[in-house]
Amino acid sequence: MTVIATRTSSTFYNLPYNQSAQYWLAIFSVSDNAELNKALVKRGMRLISKLGNAYLIPLSYPWDSEWKSVHKLLVQYGADKQAEVALIPGEKEPTAEEFTYTRKPVAALNSAADNLWLGKAMLEDRIVCYMQPVLDKRSKVFGYESFARMETDKGIVGGGKIIEASRGLNAEYALDRYLHVKAITSFIASDLEGFLFINFVPGFIHRPEKYLEGLTDSVKFHGMPPKQLVLDFTQSETPRDVMHLKAIFDYCRSNGYSLSLDDISSVAMAKKILESIRPDFIKLDIDLVRSALSVPTQQIIGELVSIAHLSGATVLAEGVETEAIYTELLKLGVDLFQGYLFSPPVAVSALKKAVG
């Protein structure tokens, strides 16, 4: 198999639909549609009886346009709902068992084809990290949070669309690891100072030592103090998830990283989680920040700040967009601030200008 490797790291990020120069497409459940079968043969597909009368064709990478023409036939003959497909990389024709184990609905492969652009962008190293400043109470830069962007001739592709595409491509895990390394290399190459906040999804991490190996290698390569890197995790209230998160935190803390919990929205949640995990930072839920001018919310934020400070955690408010909210958060004892009031996420080349 000819492997297409990324240029961002020596680590190969396993992209399910972007890892070979050639693929094999099999279509199942069309044996009773004589007209479609004729059309598939005319399209260049051959009947493979050992696959249960499935049709097979090799596709060259990028395979999305060739798949689209096959998909058009399935739609034309009304077979796109009941048919199943398998797409397997490699120059050698896969076995019948390999095709059988990888069968999926047509819609799943269509989604992957629609989002193949993301895999191409990752392989060509066209995903970049924008940085949003995090400020302290004196309006001094404390650090930066990294956000994924892709710069194109038609404009900037935002992080939401990139993440959505990774789901369609079944490449969320690969994208997550890719962005961790990109964030560190961008931060170091730009001579930025302070802490670097990087987002993580705990559900992806089953073996922290494996999942974080690219990040750890980058930290060591650049000589970055691990404490300067803040691993920002989304929280969960279920006991199983809290225990899983605690195990991840214990591993990360043993390697010297700073740790943050995102989206803290209730006092009960904070008491339960902070007692078990004790992060270095907590981030207030953005809805709390946006409603900080209401008295009930002010009471909640005030209690959260007290609980966090008692546990040794620093409190960060993201999504700060108005002077009035910023002033109220200062009164309530919030330590760090982030939001469009100060600066949107920007290309690293524009950071100095953005923060004055």
Side-chain angles (χ1 to χ4, degrees):
M1 179 174 69
T2 302
V3 172
I4 307 170
T6 68
R7 295 197 300 268
T8 56
S9 168
S10 59
T11 302
F12 171 64
Y13 298 99
N14 182 28
L15 298 169
Y17 298 104
N18 298 78
Q19 60 179 306
S20 178
Q22 182 172 308
Y23 284 79
W24 297 85
L25 172 66
I27 300 180
F28 302 85
S29 305
V30 295
S31 57
D32 59 343
N33 193 325
E35 292 301 315
L36 173 58
N37 292 343
K38 290 179 182 178
L40 292 174
V41 171
K42 186 176 181 181
R43 174 64 182 74
M45 305 192 77
R46 57 188 174 90
L47 179 65
I48 306 294
S49 57
K50 65 181 179 180
L51 293 179
N53 295 324
Y55 286 82
L56 181 68
I57 190 173
L59 303 180
S60 298
Y61 180 87
W63 50 267
D64 48 337
S65 60
E66 291 184 85
W67 156 251
K68 295 278 186 189
S69 67
V70 175
H71 179 252
K72 186 176 181 180
L73 289 177
L74 296 177
V75 173
Q76 180 181 342
Y77 291 96
D80 57 308
K81 298 294 188 297
Q82 71 270 24
E84 291 184 308
V85 295
L87 186 73
I88 298 179
E91 296 179 1
K92 183 180 179 181
E93 184 175 320
T95 65
E97 290 76 17
E98 288 177 295
F99 278 119
T100 300
Y101 294 146
T102 57
R103 290 170 66 161
K104 56 177 60 66
V106 168
L109 189 57
N110 217 33
S111 178
D114 288 340
N115 294 292
L116 198 63
W117 60 268
L118 174 61
K120 295 177 188 176
M122 290 172 65
L123 293 168
E124 295 167 5
D125 201 15
R126 291 188 287 113
I127 306 295
V128 298
C129 288
Y130 276 34
M131 301 286 178
Q132 185 175 37
V134 175
L135 306 181
D136 65 17
K137 292 179 178 180
R138 300 167 299 163
S139 297
K140 299 295 184 181
V141 175
F142 178 85
Y144 301 87
E145 181 173 351
S146 175
F147 293 88
R149 298 289 187 269
M150 188 172 79
E151 298 172 339
T152 72
D153 294 338
K154 297 180 180 179
I156 304 297
V157 177
K161 186 172 182 179
I162 291 172
I163 292 171
E164 182 182 350
S166 74
R167 295 186 183 123
L169 198 60
N170 194 26
E172 294 170 275
Y173 183 92
L175 176 67
D176 212 35
R177 297 183 70 204
Y178 172 96
L179 289 175
H180 300 161
V181 176
K182 288 288 292 184
I184 293 169
T185 54
S186 299
F187 185 82
I188 296 296
S190 304
D191 293 322
L192 298 177
E193 297 180 352
F195 288 82
L196 172 62
F197 290 77
I198 301 180
N199 293 298
F200 283 78
V201 179
F204 287 161
I205 307 178
H206 302 292
R207 293 172 54 203
E209 69 279 4
K210 180 65 176 177
Y211 182 78
L212 297 172
E213 64 180 355
L215 178 145
T216 300
D217 289 345
S218 294
V219 167
K220 291 179 179 177
F221 178 80
H222 293 291
M224 183 179 187
K227 193 70 177 176
Q228 192 178 355
L229 189 62
V230 183
L231 311 187
D232 189 4
F233 292 90
T234 54
Q235 56 75 33
S236 175
E237 292 188 80
T238 66
R240 180 177 178 180
D241 287 346
V242 170
M243 290 302 295
H244 175 58
L245 190 59
K246 184 178 186 304
I248 296 169
F249 267 45
D250 289 344
Y251 173 83
C252 294
R253 187 173 282 115
S254 71
N255 283 272
Y257 297 117
S258 296
L259 299 163
S260 174
L261 269 183
D262 207 352
D263 300 330
I264 300 297
S265 60
S266 75
V267 173
M269 176 198 302
K271 287 180 177 178
K272 182 168 70 173
I273 294 181
L274 294 183
E275 182 179 348
S276 301
I277 295 175
R278 295 192 175 276
D280 301 287
F281 302 88
I282 69 164
K283 286 188 174 182
L284 299 178
D285 184 87
I286 197 166
D287 288 335
L288 280 182
V289 173
R290 288 173 175 168
S291 60
L293 298 182
S294 74
V295 173
T297 300
Q298 290 166 9
Q299 293 174 341
I300 294 172
I301 293 176
E303 288 191 61
L304 289 175
V305 169
S306 296
I307 294 168
H309 287 171
L310 283 174
S311 73
T314 299
V315 181
L316 191 159
E318 56 185 348
V320 180
E321 297 181 356
T322 70
E323 285 284 355
I325 287 177
Y326 174 50
T327 300
E328 186 58 44
L329 292 171
L330 279 170
K331 292 178 183 177
L332 293 168
V334 174
D335 305 294
L336 301 173
F337 307 88
Q338 178 183 356
Y340 277 65
L341 175 63
F342 315 107
S343 170
V346 294
V348 289
S349 60
L351 274 174
K352 294 187 183 299
K353 180 178 180 181
V355 297

